[in-house]
C-alpha cells in the first residue's frame, strides 16, 4: 500500500510526526509532500528536525499568497505529483489551505482521501479554516474524527460513511512530550521566569492578525495583566508587535520568535494561563491542565469550553484581563489519551486496503 501525506503548515508537521512512524512500522510506503505554506526555518525545518519527521519527497515551495491564489497554486503543484505517484490514498490533516488543496486534487483524481481531524466545526464560515474543514470532510473517504462531538457534526451534515472516532494525535503527542520534559526547562531560564507566573500568548489567525484595531486592543489587555507575558510571535504579527514597542525595556511583554514543538509544550506546561487564537494550543493547554483564554468568539474544540478549562473572550480587553485571572477550574480535564490514535488510524487504513480506488 502506498500513501501520500500532504503537509504545509506547522500543526500538520506535528500531526504527521505522530503518524509517520506507525505507517512505516505497518509496511505502508508513505511519501511526504510539503507544499511550502510555511517556509521559515522556525516555522518548518525545526519541526522536521526535532520531531524526526521523514524528509519530504517533494517540496513544492508555494509560500505566502492571498487565500485563493495560495490554494490554487498548491493545486497546480500537487496534481503532477499525484499523477506521477498514483497513491492508494492521500492523507491530509486539519484545516489549512494545504489540506483543502490536496483534498480537491485527490478527489478529482478519484484517489481516496484520509482526513485526520475530521468533523471539527466552529460554525463560523468567516474563518478560512472552517471552509477548508467542511469541504475536505465532504470529499474524504476516511474521516478520522478526534471526538464523538466531531463525529456528530459529520452525521448532522449527512456525512455518515467512513467516519471513525479514533482519538487525537496532538493530544497523544502533547501527553507524551510533557511527560518527558525536565522539571526546569531551559526556556524558563532563558526568560528568567518561574513556573506558574506568566501568560503564554500566540496569535496568528487572519481574523485577529489582520485587524490592527483588534490586535492593538489585545496587546493593550496583555499589558494590563499584571504578570509577565511571553508572546511567541508568528511572522504575520511580528511587524505589528515591533511597531507597538512590544518587548522594549519596561514592557511586560517578552517577544520571542516562533518556538519549536517541545519548547511550546514546555512554555504551556509552566504558564499561569495561555492566551491564544490557535486551535491546537487550546487543546494542549487543556491536556496540560493550564487555564486558557481564547481570543475568538467561537471554537472548534467545544469540549475545552464545556469543561471550564477554556473560555472565549473575543477581543474585548476587559474580558481578556478578568478571564486570565479566573480561578483554576476544579472540573476534570476534557481529554484523555491512551497514546494509540495513530495505531487506530493505520489499522483502519490497512483493513480497507482492497480495493482502495473503489472507495473514492
Ligand atoms: C495557517 C493556517 C491555519 C493554521 C496555521 C498554523 C490557513 C488558511 N491557515 O495560518 O489554519 O492554524 O497556519 O500556524 O491555511 N509567514 C511567514 N513565514 C512562514 C509562514 C507564514 O512569514 O513560514 C507569514 C506570511 O506573511 C503569510 C502569513 O504569515 O502571509 C500567513 O501565513 P499563512 O500560511 O497564510 O497562514 P497562517 O496564519 O500561518
Amino acid at each position: 500500500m502506498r500513501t501520500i501525506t500532504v503537509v504545509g503548515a506547522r500543526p500538520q508537521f506535528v500531526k504527521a510526526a505522530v503518524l509517520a512512524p506507525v505507517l512505516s512500522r505497518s509496511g505502508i510506503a508513505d511519501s511526504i509532500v510539503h507544499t511550502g505554506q510555511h517556509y521559515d526555518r522556525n516555522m518548518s525545518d525545526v519541526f522536521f528536525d526535532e520531531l524526526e519527521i521523514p524528509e519530504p519527497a517533494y517540496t513544492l515551495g508555494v509560500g505566502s499568497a492571498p487565500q485563493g491564489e495560495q490554494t490554487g497554486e498548491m493545486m497546480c503543484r500537487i496534481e503532477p505529483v499525484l499523477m506521477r505517484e498514483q497513491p492508494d490514498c492521500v492523507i491530509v490533516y486539519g484545516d489549512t489551505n494545504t489540506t483543502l488543496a490536496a483534498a480537491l486534487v485527490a478527489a478529482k483524481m478519484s484517489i481516496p482521501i484520509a482526513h485526520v481531524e475530521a468533523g471539527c466545526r466552529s460554525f463560523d464560515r468567516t474563518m478560512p479554516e472552517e471552509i477548508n474543514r467542511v469541504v475536505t470532510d465532504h470529499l474524504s473517504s476516511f474521516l478520522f474524527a478526534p471526538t464523538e462531538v466531531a463525529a456528530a457534526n459529520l452525521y448532522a451534515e449527512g456525512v455518515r460513511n467512513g467516519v471513525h472516532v479514533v482519538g487525537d494525535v496532538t493530544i497523544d503527542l502533547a501527553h507524551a512530550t510533557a511527560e518527558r520534559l525536565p522539571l526546569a526547562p531551559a526556556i524558563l531560564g532563558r526568560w528568567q521566569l518561574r513556573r506558574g507566573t506568566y501568560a503564554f500568548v500566540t496569535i496568528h489567525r487572519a481574523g485577529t492578525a489582520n485587524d490592527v484595531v483588534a490586535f492593538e486592543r489585545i496587546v493593550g489587555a496583555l499589558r494590563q495583566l499584571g504578570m509577565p507575558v511571553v508572546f511567541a510571535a508568528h511572522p504575520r504579527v511580528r511587524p505589528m508587535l515591533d511597531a507597538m514597542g512590544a518587548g522594549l525595556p519596561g514592557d511586560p511583554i517578552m517577544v520571542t520568535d516562533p518556538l519549536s514543538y517541545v519548547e511550546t509544550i514546555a512554555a504551556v506546561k509552566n504558564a499561569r494561563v495561555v492566551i491564544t487564537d490557535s486551535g491546537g494550543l487550546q487543546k494542549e493547554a487543556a491536556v496540560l491542565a493550564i487555564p486558557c483564554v481564547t481570543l475568538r468568539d467561537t471554537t472548534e474544540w467545544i469540549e475545552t469550553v464545556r469543561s471550564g478549562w477554556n473560555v472565549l473572550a473575543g477581543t474585548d480587553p476587559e474580558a481578556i484581563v478578568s478571564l486570565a485571572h479566573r480561578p483554576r477550574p476544579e472540573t476534570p480535564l476534557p481529554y484523555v489519551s491512551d497514546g494509540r490514535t495513530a495505531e487506530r488510524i493505520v489499522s483502519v487504513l490497512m483493513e480497507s486496503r482492497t480495493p482502495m480506488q473503489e472507495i473514492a
Side-chain angles (χ1 to χ4, degrees):
M1 183 176 182
R2 290 186 325 115
T3 55
I4 290 275
T5 290
V6 184
V7 294
R10 256 187 325 193
Q12 292 161 335
F13 309 144
V14 172
K15 291 161 200 169
V18 186
L19 211 60
V22 186
L23 286 169
S24 158
R25 275 205 303 276
S26 313
I28 296 177
D30 183 59
S31 303
I32 294 182
V33 175
H34 187 327
T35 61
Q37 176 167 356
H38 287 171
Y39 44 88
D40 287 344
R41 187 175 152 72
N42 55 22
M43 296 286 286
S44 176
D45 298 0
V46 81
F47 292 86
F48 280 81
D49 296 347
E50 183 177 75
L51 301 175
E52 297 179 1
I53 305 167
E55 280 284 306
Y58 296 88
T59 320
L60 306 182
V62 173
S64 305
Q67 294 286 323
E69 185 182 330
Q70 188 182 53
T71 311
E73 196 55 50
M74 286 175 189
M75 289 179 68
C76 292
R77 298 188 198 190
I78 291 170
E79 188 168 49
V81 173
L82 297 190
M83 284 170 84
R84 180 173 161 180
E85 295 283 339
Q86 296 291 328
D88 296 305
C89 178
V90 169
I91 303 172
V92 296
Y93 295 94
D95 57 16
T96 73
N97 289 343
T98 291
T99 317
L100 175 66
L104 284 169
V105 176
K108 283 165 181 277
M109 294 176 69
S110 298
I111 301 170
I113 300 159
H115 185 203
V116 178
E117 226 174 61
C120 303
R121 295 288 182 271
S122 66
F123 302 101
D124 176 1
R125 294 229 176 155
T126 64
M127 293 174 67
E129 291 84 358
E130 183 76 352
I131 312 282
N132 297 344
R133 289 181 197 119
V134 171
V135 177
T136 302
D137 282 340
H138 284 256
L139 297 177
S140 293
S141 301
F142 300 95
L143 296 106
F144 293 117
T147 61
E148 294 290 347
V149 173
N153 290 338
L154 292 169
Y155 193 82
E157 289 175 20
V159 180
R160 295 174 189 182
N161 292 327
V163 178
H164 305 269
V165 180
V166 288
D168 191 321
V169 283
T170 64
I171 288 169
D172 289 352
L173 187 61
H175 258 295
T177 306
E179 273 173 17
R180 288 198 300 269
L181 284 178
L183 264 182
I187 50 165
L188 290 192
R190 199 196 303 160
W191 298 327
Q192 299 187 316
L193 287 173
R194 276 179 305 110
R195 184 164 196 195
T197 61
Y198 62 92
F200 179 63
V201 178
T202 75
I203 299 174
H204 72 269
R205 279 188 197 268
T208 12
N210 291 351
D211 180 343
V212 181
V213 175
F215 191 77
E216 282 179 350
R217 279 154 53 92
I218 294 168
V219 172
L222 298 177
R223 287 178 163 147
Q224 299 300 315
L225 282 180
M227 65 177 109
V229 173
V230 175
F231 196 134
H234 186 292
R236 178 179 224 153
V237 300
R238 185 66 190 245
M240 283 192 289
L241 281 173
D242 290 345
M244 294 172 71
L248 292 178
D251 192 46
I253 302 177
M254 285 176 260
V255 183
T256 125
D257 285 336
L259 301 178
S260 76
Y261 178 75
V262 177
E263 287 173 331
T264 303
I265 294 297
V268 172
K269 192 179 176 191
N270 290 286
R272 155 86 175 77
V273 61
V274 169
I275 303 177
T276 189
D277 66 355
S278 153
L281 267 189
Q282 292 172 47
K283 279 188 289 178
E284 282 149 2
V287 169
L288 304 177
I290 304 300
C292 183
V293 176
T294 294
L295 304 168
R296 290 166 45 189
D297 299 320
T298 58
T299 179
E300 56 282 6
W301 304 108
I302 192 67
E303 52 284 336
T304 61
V305 173
R306 287 188 185 142
S307 67
W309 284 89
N310 186 18
V311 285
L312 302 176
T315 58
D316 174 22
E318 278 178 27
I320 295 168
V321 174
S322 71
L323 291 171
H325 287 281
R326 75 191 192 282
R328 251 178 101 74
E330 286 173 12
T331 40
L333 298 172
Y335 299 119
V336 282
S337 159
D338 66 0
R340 301 193 52 207
T341 305
E343 285 170 37
R344 284 187 283 274
I345 291 172
V346 171
S347 72
V348 170
L349 292 178
M350 295 290 283
E351 275 163 27
S352 54
R353 58 179 301 185
T354 48
M356 274 282 201
Q357 294 290 344
E358 281 168 25
I359 297 167

